[in-house]
Amino acid sequence: MKAQKNLYRKNFSLITAFLVLITVSLVIAIVISYNLTAKYVENEFASKKIEVLDQTVKPYYDFFQLKIPEITSYQGFLDSASAANYSATVFKSYPFVRKVLFYDIQIGNPSSKKLANKQGISVKTVYQYKPKHGSVKGYKDSVWANDVDFKDMAMKLSNFISVADTSRLPTQDEIFRTFYNVTPDKISYLNIPRREDIRIYQSLLKKGDTKAFYKQNMLTFLLDAHQLKVKNTHPELYQQVTIQPVVYDPLDVEGDRKVTEAALTGAFSNFKLYFISTNQHLTKEIDRRFLPICAIVLLIYFFLVLISWLIYRNLNINLKVFKLQYDFINNFTHEFKTPVSVIKIAGSNLKGDAELSERQRRHYGKILDEEADKLNDLMNKLLSFTQLENRSITVKREEINLQQFVKGYIDTFKIKYPDFKLDFNIENVNKFYSDPVLLGSVFQNLMENAYKYSHPGKKELFINIKPEKRNIVFSFADKGIGMARYEQGDVFKKFYRIENQYNQNGSVGLGLAFCKELVNFMDGEIDVTSKLNVGSTFIVTLPLGH
């Protein structure tokens, strides 16, 4: 019988085509991933500038929303000294403020000769403050007494007082329109009067003979945008960020760099943030982000190749298994054909017409009996092979009297090996349910090993049996040659042999592997602790059974 040559045929063209397909897919995936990453970085270059802008102008917003309104808390009673202290805190926390003007304002009757305008609001004194060596330099400055900022704020305050509804608080919109004046590089602020103060001001601004005056405070902050600290929160995108005038537009824009900008707001509205990055800088960032994506794509590729190799290897294994099965069937068929042919010939002779002598009949009978035994032996081998392959052997649990069971094996080994010192101890257990044949095989192998792997004069074995929770533990402790720690995990592997003088002949490395298989088959565990030239202890743990 010949095996079919086309079964499990290796198609290298199909394998090559598959590898080419996934390789081309890999290249396409890498190209698409790189392009998408480059597009994503380009989009971020255009959008992340808002985050840089927000972080850069955050001190300005803190100054505008938190520090400036503190002036109102003085309720118009700031003087040159307190204004100087306040300016010092401003210069310390907000370096972009380069100068502070403090207007000491008085409000009274418009008909009074002491007032400089018909609105009833005039400047009594103007103080100018500048930072100098960690301190504040301040002096009177009459130049600013009638400047445009003061006139605009006086007009706003006068209009507000004339129409103010003192039954409610002013809205935020009213506060911003009246008490703030924001122009490029400059912020003017007038302290917000209380409602009762507004009622008084309304009466003062009416024509009358009252000569009372009330104080208000106005501060003007002159700013320098170039003193803002640029906080580049995305250096991977923006190589350089500078503050430039809105009209800034360099003529020497090179083609190997990217540029974008974002306008500042408020008093810095005449400036912008100018972002510059070279193409090499952005390419480096694209590569940095692409690397993990490329690694994932390559990992998928190698995973597919590995799967392909495993499938290919599995087909090869199937081919080998098929060949083994074929050879097995072929050999058994050959073994069957020989006795069958002999039986056929003997049977033909027996049923023939010729007369047979007694000697011939016995001869043919012997042939039939021998060939039948061969067939029976072959059938038993085939059955045993099937049982081992399918693990169809069952554990026959019986009640075992441990005292008699252990003593029987000890007596047998004492007769077999007179120099073998054996002893045992059984703690708190008398009966045990298990398969006596399988357990006996474990005992026999471990006791044989204890004798074989011990020096002459030290052939001793102590067997201790004790219950432990729902298990029973058999401990076989000898005083043999022991084994190194690194070898203790391998002694239960098939065909593993420890190289020593006791293993030169008569060992193929199956004894302990057979014990482990038996113990596992009985739902138990086996372990070993050993020390060189001291001895070994094999511990078998089995369920007590019922």
Side-chain angles (χ1 to χ4, degrees):
M1 180 186 287
K2 292 184 179 181
Q4 300 181 35
K5 294 183 180 180
N6 61 343
L7 193 61
Y8 293 113
R9 183 175 53 190
K10 298 178 181 177
N11 194 329
F12 290 102
S13 299
L14 182 61
I15 296 171
T16 304
F18 179 76
L19 290 175
V20 170
L21 175 63
I22 62 174
T23 302
V24 171
S25 301
L26 168 71
V27 174
I28 294 174
I30 288 177
V31 171
I32 293 175
S33 300
Y34 187 85
N35 290 336
L36 289 176
T37 304
K39 189 66 177 177
Y40 185 75
V41 170
E42 184 179 344
N43 291 338
E44 280 201 343
F45 181 81
S47 61
K48 291 295 184 180
K49 61 185 180 181
I50 303 301
E51 293 183 13
V52 178
L53 175 65
D54 290 341
Q55 291 300 316
T56 300
V57 299
K58 186 177 182 298
Y60 167 76
Y61 287 130
D62 291 342
F63 170 68
F64 187 83
Q65 297 172 357
L66 302 176
K67 189 63 179 178
I68 292 179
E70 286 183 11
I71 299 170
T72 297
S73 62
Y74 292 96
Q75 290 299 316
F77 293 102
L78 271 174
D79 55 20
S80 59
S82 56
N85 292 334
Y86 172 81
S87 299
T89 61
V90 169
F91 293 139
K92 181 179 180 181
S93 302
Y94 307 100
F96 53 84
V97 180
R98 60 183 177 86
K99 188 185 297 184
V100 177
L101 299 177
F102 166 56
Y103 296 81
D104 190 6
I105 298 174
Q106 58 183 4
I107 300 176
N109 194 302
S111 62
S112 174
K113 295 180 180 180
K114 293 184 179 181
L115 295 177
N117 58 45
K118 297 180 180 181
Q119 297 169 342
I121 304 173
S122 63
V123 178
K124 182 179 179 182
T125 313
V126 179
Y127 293 90
Q128 184 176 158
Y129 303 99
K130 293 181 179 180
K132 184 178 181 181
H133 306 299
S135 60
V136 175
K137 179 183 178 183
Y139 52 88
K140 289 184 180 182
D141 194 343
S142 59
V143 176
W144 301 89
N146 293 303
D147 68 344
V148 177
D149 292 321
F150 167 71
K151 291 179 179 180
D152 289 344
M153 294 299 289
M155 181 63 72
K156 288 183 180 183
L157 180 59
S158 177
N159 293 336
F160 175 75
I161 292 173
S162 62
V163 298
D165 182 3
T166 56
S167 64
R168 62 175 178 83
L169 292 173
T171 64
Q172 289 298 320
D173 184 60
E174 290 173 337
I175 290 174
F176 183 77
R177 284 189 289 107
T178 304
F179 301 99
Y180 286 89
N181 188 25
V182 181
T183 58
D185 300 327
K186 191 187 299 183
I187 300 175
S188 295
Y189 179 81
L190 190 64
N191 71 279
I192 304 170
R194 296 171 297 182
R195 283 186 288 178
E196 53 268 26
D197 293 335
I198 294 174
R199 294 192 193 101
I200 295 172
Y201 297 160
Q202 286 175 342
S203 64
L204 283 175
L205 294 178
K206 292 178 181 179
K207 290 184 179 181
D209 295 330
T210 179
K211 297 181 180 180
F213 290 94
Y214 292 86
K215 292 185 65 176
Q216 283 288 105
N217 298 139
M218 172 181 161
L219 279 83
T220 297
F221 304 90
L222 282 77
L223 312 180
D224 183 2
H226 293 289
Q227 297 301 318
L228 272 175
K229 184 178 181 181
V230 176
K231 295 183 179 179
N232 186 3
T233 55
H234 293 282
E236 74 281 2
L237 296 173
Y238 308 113
Q239 197 170 8
Q240 183 181 4
V241 184
T242 58
I243 297 175
Q244 302 292 346
V246 172
V247 296
Y248 176 75
D249 189 12
L251 298 177
D252 57 338
V253 177
E254 301 177 4
D256 64 341
R257 65 178 183 175
K258 287 188 176 295
V259 175
T260 187
E261 55 190 42
L264 298 176
T265 58
F268 299 135
S269 58
N270 54 335
F271 289 90
K272 64 183 178 182
L273 287 181
Y274 196 70
F275 302 84
I276 303 174
S277 288
T278 62
N279 291 333
Q280 293 82 356
H281 182 77
L282 293 178
T283 300
K284 184 178 179 181
E285 175 61 15
I286 292 171
D287 293 341
R288 185 186 69 83
R289 299 191 185 190
F290 174 69
L291 281 177
I293 299 174
C294 182
I296 293 173
V297 173
L298 289 174
L299 184 63
I300 295 173
Y301 173 78
F302 287 120
F303 178 75
L304 290 175
V305 172
L306 177 62
I307 293 296
S308 304
W309 178 76
L310 291 175
I311 293 173
Y312 177 73
R313 189 187 69 168
N314 188 54
L315 290 175
N316 280 341
I317 292 174
N318 287 340
L319 179 61
K320 292 178 182 178
V321 170
F322 167 75
K323 188 176 183 304
L324 288 174
Q325 291 176 343
Y326 174 79
D327 291 341
F328 173 77
I329 294 172
N330 193 32
N331 292 336
F332 259 79
T333 301
H334 177 74
E335 292 295 329
F336 270 113
K337 284 178 68 177
T338 301
V340 169
S341 298
V342 174
I343 291 172
K344 181 70 175 175
I345 293 171
S348 298
N349 291 333
L350 285 174
K351 71 176 183 179
D353 296 333
E355 291 290 336
L356 298 175
S357 64
E358 184 68 23
R359 182 173 174 273
Q360 287 177 320
R361 283 196 299 271
R362 288 181 180 177
H363 176 67
Y364 287 130
K366 182 180 178 183
I367 290 174
L368 291 173
D369 185 61
E370 289 177 352
E371 297 304 321
D373 286 342
K374 287 182 181 180
L375 287 175
N376 186 56
D377 184 54
L378 288 172
M379 292 298 295
N380 287 335
K381 285 182 180 179
L382 181 60
L383 181 62
S384 299
F385 178 85
T386 305
Q387 287 177 333
L388 289 173
E389 190 179 55
N390 298 329
R391 297 183 66 85
S392 58
I393 300 173
T394 57
V395 178
K396 297 178 181 179
R397 296 188 182 276
E398 300 177 10
E399 183 179 281
I400 299 175
N401 187 309
L402 290 173
Q403 187 79 20
Q404 296 176 0
F405 182 84
V406 178
K407 193 172 185 306
Y409 276 95
I410 287 179
D411 291 342
T412 301
F413 271 82
K414 281 183 176 180
I415 294 172
K416 186 177 181 180
Y417 305 116
D419 59 336
F420 198 7
K421 297 180 181 179
L422 293 163
D423 198 3
F424 71 97
N425 178 52
I426 300 175
E427 302 177 12
N428 303 322
V429 60
N430 295 319
K431 297 179 180 180
F432 168 58
Y433 290 88
S434 186
D435 190 318
V437 176
L438 300 182
L439 184 62
S441 297
V442 174
F443 264 72
Q444 187 168 354
N445 274 279
L446 294 179
M447 293 172 76
E448 285 280 1
N449 277 1
Y451 182 82
K452 179 180 178 181
Y453 296 103
S454 295
H455 296 294
K458 287 189 176 181
K459 297 184 181 295
E460 300 179 19
L461 177 65
F462 179 76
I463 303 173
N464 187 66
I465 304 172
K466 64 179 181 179
E468 188 176 281
K469 296 182 180 179
R470 296 183 179 181
N471 299 321
I472 184 169
V473 179
F474 299 85
S475 176
F476 298 81
D478 63 48
K479 295 184 179 179
I481 60 174
M483 66 188 82
R485 181 181 293 274
Y486 68 89
E487 292 181 309
Q488 294 176 22
D490 297 324
V491 292
F492 296 108
K493 294 180 180 178
K494 292 179 181 179
F495 309 114
Y496 182 83
R497 299 193 312 165
I498 299 175
E499 294 300 328
N500 55 52
Q501 59 180 330
Y502 299 95
N503 261 339
Q504 298 303 313
N505 296 299
S507 175
V508 292
L510 287 176
L512 290 177
F514 181 61
C515 286
K516 184 173 179 63
E517 289 295 324
L518 288 174
V519 171
N520 290 342
F521 198 72
M522 293 187 288
D523 300 323
E525 296 178 356
I526 184 170
D527 199 4
V528 61
T529 58
S530 183
K531 192 172 182 181
L532 277 175
N533 299 318
V534 175
S536 302
T537 301
F538 288 87
I539 301 172
V540 177
T541 304
L542 296 172
L544 272 170
H546 53 79

